[in-house]
Structures are given as structure tokens and as C-alpha cells.
Amino acid sequence: MIEFEIPKPIAQQRYLLTTVAEEMMRPHSRYFDEHEHEIPWDYINFMHQALQAVGAGSLAPSEEKKEIKKEEDGKRKKYPPIGYQSLAYLLETLSWGDVGMYLVTPGGGLGAAAVEATGTAEQKEKFLARFQQESPAFGAMAMTESQCGSDTSAIRTSAVLDLDTNEWVINGEKIFVTGGKMSLEDGDGLVVVWATIDPSAGRAGMRPFVIEAGTPGVKVTKLEHKMGIRASDTASIVLQDARVPFDNLLGSPEIPKKETKGFKGAMATFDATRPLVAATGIGVSRATLELLKELLSQQGVNIRYGIPRQKLTNVERDVIDMEIMLESAWLLVIKAVWMTDNRKPNSLEASMSKVRAGDVVTKITQKAVEIMGPLGYTRDHLLEKWFRDAKITDIYEGTGQINRLVVARNILDYRGSQLR
Ligand SMILES: Cc1cc2nc3c(=O)[nH]c(=O)nc-3n(C[C@H](O)[C@H](O)[C@H](O)COP(=O)(O)OP(=O)(O)OC[C@H]3O[C@@H](n4cnc5c(N)ncnc54)[C@H](O)[C@@H]3O)c2cc1C
């Protein structure tokens, strides 16, 4: 049964993170927005220490964190796991602080999530250990290529096994990799690169490979200048005869047959991470609504709840509608992460939550700028920044259109080839 009460450990974490968001993120939001590609090391170092102190070096929930067993009244009780639910609250709160800065939080990000979703127990132990070390490390996941974004079957980066050395030789170029530079150049991080081991097999030939910082033949060639989330780097990465050990292929060390797995690994990653991306959009939406109401209140406009809708002003109706959007989007996120925690298939719910959060954060931030007029448009307040930060929620980890397709396929029980 889904419970709507915030579990106690999550509530405590959330309280602490709200303080971090208020004191270490908000005051620096504008600076890092205006100084793209400068790294917020104070925040990073603080978060690294804090995460180590609570034993959460990696932001991806590990197997142990999924099982909660406690002694209570002399009995050993089993509690439902809350790793992903906890992450959703954590990411929502940090994104409420600043979504660009949240994206540089050490701990592995999407890279660690991909290792968690596709790696064997040994691989998880080996590759995620770096996030527990003394210095902060970062992780990223690289799927997109110049001809391959929504259509992942068009992937060209290749991995060929050198039978003499038992190493994979990887060649290709990845673009738009969130945190790609920090993962490869600013610590002992890693990037999970999707490559094909059989170009004729389409998606079935895709496999995730761990590329560790310092791997020869791997180079960051470009950093994007972006509209929003400017505290986070978005990199192009070229792999030229980059050699990695055989075991850096995440999953079974056997070379699987064409018809097996492949894209399923990517989908498992997305099912886990899409609701979390949605949670970041919810954080930005909540920040926007709170500031909007504060600014309106300063101008003598206070929302009158509990009176008939026809007696409300237009602005009051707008704000209440925005609050409804926010709450309903958050409930979809909570359902999707609850399903991940309880190991229930959640492709439908994961994509639904992402579609809804992408729409909601875009609409709420746009409406807030509209309602506040010039005050929303200038840099005196963060409303215009959040408007720019919002749109990415609807682009990465599958665009709104692609996630709508996933939702439709799940509801209609169609395969990818039947509805595209
Ligand atoms: C800031 C930023 C960070 C990113 N971070 C990462 C990252 O860390 N790792 C990574 O691998 N990628 C990342 N991406 C890439 C992102 O995931 C892709 O941009 C996205 O998947 C869309 O792919 P595309 O750009 O090739 O657009 P296209 O696939 O060319 O799509 C263009 C438009 O057409 C629409 N469209 C495409 N196919 C269909 C269809 N069948 N039906 C209806 N509409 C369709 C899309 O929704 C979109 O609106 C990032 C992108 C940005 C901007």
C-alpha cells in the first residue's frame, strides 16, 4: 500500500537538505548562472563530506539500502525499501535550492544509476566504490550522438573485442553529456558510454561500458553554452581507440546473443532515473510558486483559499491551478519511485511522471514570469532563471514526445515497432 506520510528518515534528511539549499545553493544561484563552467567547489566539497558522513557516497541507491531490516520490540521486522523514494525527496529539495548546482552534486549521478541498473554485484562494488573515497568524484551517462538522440538504434559508437588482450576498443563521439567533463577531468569519476557491439543488430547490440577518468584515447572536446542549468557542464566526448578491460561491459561478461537484453539495460536505467528527473522539475516548480506567492503578497495579493472559484481573481485562480498541477505531478513521481523501490515494472509510471513534470515545470515557471511582468523578466529575482532552467526537464532522459510514446505503448500494449 502506498503511504503518503513522509517516512521519518526521509523527513530528517529533507530538513537538513533544505538548510543546505537555503544556505549553500540559493545565495550562489545567480553567480553560477552568470559564470558558466565555473565549478561550485564549496558546495561540492560540503556535500561530499555530508554524504560520506551519512554513508551515502553514491546517489544511486545500493542493494543494501533497498532492504530495511530493524529490530523492534525484540522482533526482526522487514520494512519496504525507500531508497528511490528518499532520492526523489532529496533531489526535489536540492533542485528547489538550485537545479544546476544539484547536477554537480558528487556521487555518481546518471553514471552511478546506470551501473546500478545494469551492472553485476561485483561491478557495482568495484565501480561505485570511488564515490565513497576521500575526494569527490562524478559520474555521467553518454547515449546521445549527433545522429542518435530519440532514436537510440542509430547509435554508431562501437566497441570491438580485441581477442589478444581481452579488451574492448571503443570508437565514437558522444554529445550533450551532463557532467561529462567533471566526470572525466575533475576527479576519479566515470562515464557510462553506450556503444554497439553489433551495428547490424540495432538496439539489441547496444551495451553500456564504464569509461574511467584517465582512460587513454578519451577526450572532452567541447562544452555547450546553455540556456539553463548553467552550473552543470554539458560535454562532447571523443573516444579514439579507447581501451577498457573486458569487465567494463556492464552486465554479464558473456557476449550476449543479438536478441537478448541490449536496449533493456538502457530502459531499466531510464525507468529508475526518469522519475528522479521529474523530481528535479518539481523542485524548480515549488521554488517558483513559493517566490511567486511571496512577491504577490508583498504587493498585497494574498491567495484566498476556500472561497468559491467564481469569487476569486484571475491571479488567484492561476496560482491555485499551478498548485494543483504541482501536487498532481509530485504524486506521479512518488508512485513511480515507490514502484522502483518495490521492484514493480514501472516504465509507464516513470514516463508518465516525467511527461507531467516536464509540462508542469515549463508552465509554472512561464506563468510566474507572466504574472510578475517586468519583475519576473529581470534578473532582480530568480524567476527568469528558473524559467530557463525548467525546459531541460522535458528534453533529457527522453523528450516529452518520446515519453508520451512510451506511455501510449504501455497503455495500448504496443511494441516500439508498432507505434513510433
Ligand atoms: C542540457 C542537455 C543535457 C543532456 N544530457 C544528456 C546526457 O547526460 N546523456 C545523454 O546521453 N544525452 C543527454 N542529452 C541529450 C538528450 O537526451 C537529447 O537531446 C534528447 O534525447 C533528444 O534527442 P535529439 O537532441 O537527438 O533530438 P531528436 O531526437 O532529433 O528530436 C528532435 C525533436 O523531435 C521530436 N521527436 C523525435 N522523435 C519523435 C517521434 N518518434 N515522435 C514524436 N516526436 C519525435 C523530439 O521529441 C524533439 O522534440 C542532453 C541534452 C541537453 C540539451
Side-chain angles (χ1 to χ4, degrees):
M1 197 182 71
I2 297 177
E3 285 199 20
F4 293 100
E5 221 164 77
I6 305 179
K8 218 172 170 186
I10 295 182
Q12 283 164 350
Q13 257 185 17
R14 201 182 187 204
Y15 177 74
L16 292 173
L17 287 174
T18 301
T19 312
V20 172
E22 281 171 345
E23 291 178 12
M24 303 209 70
M25 299 175 103
R26 283 286 177 88
H28 308 289
S29 264
R30 181 60 76 192
Y31 180 87
F32 288 105
D33 179 49
E34 290 181 348
H35 295 78
E36 196 174 19
H37 303 145
E38 261 188 52
I39 301 174
W41 282 113
D42 284 350
Y43 164 73
I44 290 168
N45 288 326
F46 175 84
M47 281 304 283
H48 182 63
Q49 301 283 332
L51 290 169
Q52 300 302 312
V54 295
S58 164
L59 279 184
S62 66
E63 288 297 325
E64 309 85 70
K65 279 181 232 161
K66 285 177 187 159
E67 303 298 337
I68 305 176
K69 288 176 192 155
K70 271 193 197 164
E71 290 283 343
E72 235 175 55
D73 306 330
K75 284 185 194 151
R76 197 158 169 77
K77 287 189 182 171
K78 237 179 152 178
Y79 286 86
I82 54 167
Y84 279 91
Q85 291 165 78
S86 159
L87 262 185
Y89 279 99
L90 188 149
L91 270 49
E92 193 271 351
T93 308
L94 292 178
S95 303
W96 174 86
D98 185 282
V99 66
M101 289 175 75
Y102 144 67
L103 285 166
V104 299
T105 307
L110 255 191
V115 173
E116 266 299 330
T118 59
T120 61
E122 296 76 41
Q123 286 172 325
K124 288 177 199 178
E125 206 182 316
K126 178 179 170 195
F127 293 122
L128 298 179
R130 72 198 58 224
F131 301 115
Q132 309 281 357
Q133 284 168 4
E134 211 177 303
S135 309
F138 308 89
M141 185 172 90
M143 172 86 77
T144 307
E145 300 176 10
S146 57
Q147 76 300 330
C148 151
S150 301
D151 179 10
T152 44
S153 65
I155 210 164
R156 278 196 204 138
T157 297
S158 65
V160 177
L161 188 62
D162 180 338
L163 293 170
D164 293 333
T165 60
N166 209 25
E167 291 171 322
W168 294 99
V169 183
I170 305 181
N171 280 287
E173 181 178 12
K174 294 291 178 183
I175 58 172
F176 292 123
V177 185
T178 299
K181 177 189 168 284
M182 291 190 69
S183 302
L184 292 173
E185 294 184 355
D186 297 301
D188 182 25
L190 57 80
V191 178
V192 173
V193 167
W194 287 83
T196 176
I197 55 170
D198 182 354
S200 66
R203 284 180 178 154
M206 288 166 57
R207 292 293 179 277
F209 293 85
V210 173
I211 306 290
E212 295 173 274
T215 303
V218 182
K219 209 169 163 188
V220 173
T221 51
K222 185 184 172 193
L223 295 181
E224 301 295 336
H225 291 281
K226 305 193 297 288
M227 173 169 111
I229 55 164
R230 288 156 61 91
S232 144
D233 77 72
T234 305
S236 295
I237 299 171
V238 168
L239 301 108
Q240 202 168 17
D241 291 330
R243 288 178 169 269
V244 297
F246 184 79
D247 284 343
N248 281 34
L249 183 159
L250 291 171
S252 162
E254 284 169 34
I255 303 176
K257 291 193 191 100
K258 273 188 197 173
E259 61 276 17
T260 58
K261 303 248 166 122
F263 189 60
K264 281 188 186 159
M267 285 316 298
T269 309
F270 288 143
D271 291 346
T273 56
R274 281 176 176 161
L276 300 177
V277 173
T280 67
I282 302 291
V284 176
S285 307
R286 182 163 68 87
T288 304
L289 256 171
E290 285 177 9
L291 179 56
L292 174 65
K293 284 168 73 174
E294 195 185 311
L295 293 173
L296 284 171
S297 178
Q298 285 167 14
Q299 298 186 4
V301 180
N302 292 300
I303 314 302
R304 293 166 299 157
Y305 296 96
I307 64 168
R309 193 169 168 88
Q310 72 273 15
K311 293 192 177 158
L312 295 170
T313 63
N314 221 3
V315 166
E316 285 174 313
R317 273 190 224 128
D318 278 345
V319 171
I320 289 170
D321 286 348
M322 287 151 89
E323 288 179 326
I324 292 167
M325 284 197 273
L326 177 61
E327 190 64 22
S328 62
W330 179 236
L331 290 177
L332 284 173
V333 173
I334 291 300
K335 183 174 180 189
V337 286
W338 177 86
M339 293 178 80
T340 317
D341 274 337
N342 287 278
R343 299 180 196 192
K344 293 179 185 292
N346 71 340
S347 278
L348 170 66
E349 291 76 9
S351 284
M352 253 185 194
S353 70
K354 172 106 165 28
V355 167
R356 181 71 180 148
D359 275 358
V360 161
V361 69
T362 313
K363 283 182 185 152
I364 286 181
T365 52
Q366 184 186 5
K367 197 79 192 168
V369 169
E370 183 187 309
I371 290 175
M372 293 316 301
L375 212 55
Y377 198 76
T378 62
R379 295 192 171 216
D380 292 353
H381 296 287
L382 289 168
L383 291 179
E384 64 77 33
K385 176 185 181 294
W386 292 332
F387 177 43
R388 289 184 284 112
D389 285 343
K391 186 60 195 170
I392 194 61
T393 319
D394 201 37
I395 297 177
Y396 55 15
E397 302 259 330
T399 62
Q401 289 83 355
I402 294 304
N403 276 297
R404 277 178 174 80
L405 274 177
V406 177
V407 169
R409 282 180 201 136
N410 273 283
I411 290 173
L412 301 170
D413 201 17
Y414 281 0
R415 291 148 61 106
S417 55
Q418 293 171 301
L419 187 62
R420 35 169 129 203

